[in-house]
Amino acid sequence: MSETADVSTMRLSRRDALGGIASSAVLAAATTPATAAPVKPAHETGGEPDALGLAELVRRRAVSPTELLEAAIARAEALNPRLNFMAQKHYDYARAAIAKGLPEGPFTGVPWLLKDLNTYVAGLLTEQGSRYYKGNRATVTSELVRRHERAGLVVFGKTTVPEFGLSGTTESKATGATHNPWNPDYTTGGSSGGSACAVSAGVIPAAHATDGGGSIRVPASCCGLFGLKPSRGRVPMGPPRSEGWGGMSTHHAVTISVRDSAALLDATHGIEPGSRYSAPTPERPYLEEVRRDPGRLRIAFSPVSPTGTPVDPECAEATRAAARLCENHGHHVEEVAPALDYAALGRAVFTIISSSIAADLNARATATGVKPSLDVLEPMTLAFYQMGLRVSGPDFAAANNDLLAAAYTVAEFMQRYDVLLSPTLATPPVKLGVLSPSQTDMAVYAKALTTFGPFSALENQTGQPSMSVPLAMSKAGLPIGVMFSARYGDEATLFRLAGQLEQAAPWAGRRTRVA
């Protein structure tokens, strides 16, 4: 090939790569008609690339890491005033990392956003979505961040969260409300709503997220993304501590493609020094699982809320449609669910979370000399704090025992089934304000939260892996996710099933309003 032809090809590739990151490698036209011909994921059609696709362009020198970074920054600067997903801007940190030279990894040169919650880069701000932590700078770098950077990801900022991740929406007095790119009047979900917003809006094709009660899967559902919560102990949580919310919390990502999620988990999983948990070692790389046949799975399916609260007909039908899709692919689907005391589990969760919040805020008060109050906290956070101060040692132990008993019950149930299928949420995305932590009545707030998201917390309590798959759209044009959960340690089954679903009912043909 001539030198002229080489230059021409490179220019075309750069235009495509930068155009993809700027217009979103996410979801292409409002909704795909049911009669439309199947559309393959973008990374298989030569269309807008996912994160692995961007890394491949960097490897081929079709585009440089600097070009990708500056395109992502430009997109963020253009959209953040409308959507409000950036909590911190670390642009100079990212430019310095590129100038220093990036390691060779599966994601070399791909821009990356961290969630601004218990995820640290030494010297940089981590404010937890709270006025109480304004100006707080990390003294350590999280092991997970070190693994992100060894994989070649380029951290250029942090995304918005509700205060301490305590809500199913991303709204706070510290950073304001984050708006859903599908319709800015609606929530992105929480608590990883800033990350989901950035990915859905096409700033980057994948972003860091955490999940302590659904906080990866809920925003994935609200924003039309793939979101997998790994098994307890699969991904490092520290330093300074290797556990969050009594082991209910974990870290991973929201992504536009299944394969990005798998490759990210390949790059980040594994025990860290000092951790009390370690998930079983996978048989092979998760990226390989995405292309493997899942076989004939036994799927337990329930569109009914475990707490008895109503389920929106569109969410219930999305779950039934997913069950039919699985049956059409040879899986055995049976309508059944594990028998659990969800009221007791709910009390246990509030006990553990509130006591964890109380411990953290007491430590902050000691460090700063500023007492927890409405001057620096959301009303709901202060209510959690006050509740936590009343929790006794026996109360905490009893709550932990309730979660352990539930894990045994579910593990026994899962001897008969490979996968649990349910709605991710009981309703499509709700309007901003409905779940705001600025409410002052804890009972009203708790009811709104549990009515919106009664399904996702169980897997945090049991440690199971769970994923939200963007298989449906509401009549109002908002995404609806469907949730699949597997046995503890069995992310492989979820990735195989997700790969099959992505091929059978691709979501890459949908696009947000801002794209």
Side-chain angles (χ1 to χ4, degrees):
M1 186 178 290
S2 69
E3 181 178 348
T4 302
D6 283 338
V7 173
S8 175
T9 301
M10 184 173 289
R11 284 175 179 164
L12 178 62
S13 298
R14 284 179 176 166
R15 181 199 67 198
D16 290 348
L18 299 180
I21 206 169
S23 64
S24 171
V26 220
L27 311 161
T31 54
T32 304
T35 56
V39 180
K40 290 185 177 181
H43 60 267
E44 295 186 2
T45 63
E48 296 171 348
D50 58 2
L52 285 172
L54 291 177
E56 176 60 24
L57 291 173
V58 171
R59 272 190 290 277
R60 294 196 336 242
R61 298 187 179 180
V63 65
S64 72
T66 295
E67 287 174 308
L68 289 183
L69 173 64
E70 296 305 330
I73 290 173
R75 179 72 167 168
E77 287 294 306
L79 289 177
N80 193 58
R82 295 161 54 191
L83 299 176
N84 188 36
F85 51 84
M86 294 290 289
Q88 314 291 346
K89 299 176 182 180
H90 301 315
Y91 300 162
D92 288 341
Y93 176 85
R95 290 168 180 141
I98 292 174
K100 182 181 178 181
L102 300 173
E104 290 199 14
F107 295 102
T108 297
V110 176
W112 185 248
L113 290 171
L114 298 170
K115 180 178 176 179
D116 191 28
L117 186 66
N118 298 322
T119 309
Y120 310 110
V121 178
L124 299 186
L125 291 171
T126 299
E127 295 182 328
Q128 321 279 45
S130 177
R131 295 168 294 164
Y132 201 22
Y133 279 73
K134 186 173 178 60
N136 178 62
R137 292 189 180 274
T139 58
V140 297
T141 296
S142 298
E143 172 61 22
L144 178 60
V145 175
R146 290 196 286 263
R147 295 183 190 187
H148 285 153
E149 294 186 329
R150 284 201 297 268
L153 292 165
V154 181
V155 175
F156 72 100
K158 288 192 171 183
T159 58
T160 51
V161 298
E163 190 166 59
F164 309 129
L166 287 173
S167 183
T169 186
T170 301
E171 303 173 51
S172 74
K173 290 185 177 179
T175 58
T178 298
H179 301 265
N180 195 317
W182 292 88
N183 186 328
D185 293 334
Y186 288 79
T187 183
T188 57
S191 63
S192 305
S195 291
C197 179
V199 175
S200 186
V203 177
I204 48 177
H208 168 245
T210 70
D211 194 316
S215 291
I216 289 174
R217 293 157 290 156
V218 169
S221 180
C222 289
C223 294
L225 304 173
F226 180 76
L228 180 132
K229 180 202 86 70
S231 297
R232 179 180 296 152
R234 178 68 69 201
V235 176
M237 296 284 293
R241 57 192 180 194
S242 62
E243 177 182 278
W245 288 359
M248 289 188 287
S249 184
T250 188
H251 292 238
H252 188 41
V254 287
T255 63
I256 64 171
S257 69
V258 175
R259 71 172 193 164
D260 274 356
S261 184
L264 282 163
L265 197 55
D266 283 332
T268 57
H269 81 82
I271 193 169
E272 64 176 320
S275 176
R276 65 172 57 176
Y277 306 116
S278 177
T281 302
E283 183 178 350
R284 61 183 64 85
Y286 292 119
L287 188 56
E288 291 183 17
E289 302 289 4
V290 176
R291 287 298 184 193
R292 292 177 68 88
D293 187 338
R296 187 173 189 264
L297 299 176
R298 298 165 298 169
I299 299 177
F301 139 72
S302 177
V304 178
S305 167
T307 61
T309 52
V311 176
D312 186 278
E314 289 190 294
C315 294
E317 176 52 31
T319 308
R320 294 189 184 95
R324 292 192 295 269
L325 180 63
C326 289
E327 284 184 321
N328 291 340
H329 280 76
H331 304 301
H332 171 77
V333 181
E334 181 180 345
E335 188 163 351
V336 63
L340 294 162
D341 185 344
Y342 284 95
L345 287 175
R347 291 191 295 271
V349 166
F350 271 93
T351 295
I352 289 171
I353 292 177
S354 65
S355 57
S356 297
I357 292 296
D360 286 345
L361 297 190
N362 281 345
R364 184 66 177 168
T366 299
T368 63
V370 178
K371 293 183 179 180
S373 72
L374 288 177
D375 292 335
V376 290
L377 295 172
E378 304 278 0
M380 285 302 101
T381 305
L382 188 62
F384 268 102
Y385 172 69
Q386 292 167 341
M387 182 189 305
L389 293 178
R390 296 191 296 271
V391 172
S392 69
D395 290 338
F396 187 93
N400 186 59
N401 288 341
D402 285 341
L403 299 192
L404 294 174
Y408 271 106
T409 299
V410 173
E412 190 172 82
F413 179 85
M414 295 298 289
Q415 294 300 308
R416 304 191 300 275
Y417 301 97
D418 301 298
V419 172
L420 295 173
L421 165 61
S422 74
T424 304
L425 291 167
T427 74
V430 296
K431 286 196 171 183
L432 287 166
V434 171
L435 301 170
S436 171
S438 293
Q439 297 179 45
T440 56
D441 189 319
M442 177 60 115
V444 172
Y445 175 74
K447 182 178 179 181
L449 199 59
T450 54
T451 299
F452 179 58
F455 296 99
S456 59
L458 177 63
E459 287 70 30
N460 300 88
Q461 297 155 12
T462 61
Q464 294 168 258
S466 181
M467 65 184 182
S468 181
V469 185
L471 293 177
M473 296 290 293
S474 74
K475 292 178 182 177
L478 293 167
I480 295 175
V482 179
M483 192 170 75
F484 299 83
S485 306
R487 298 184 188 101
Y488 175 73
D490 192 16
E491 287 89 341
T493 290
L494 294 184
F495 279 124
R496 289 194 291 266
L497 178 59
Q500 185 180 67
L501 295 171
E502 188 180 33
Q503 291 291 313
W507 48 85
R510 304 186 190 126
R511 187 180 298 277
T512 65
R513 291 188 181 186
V514 302

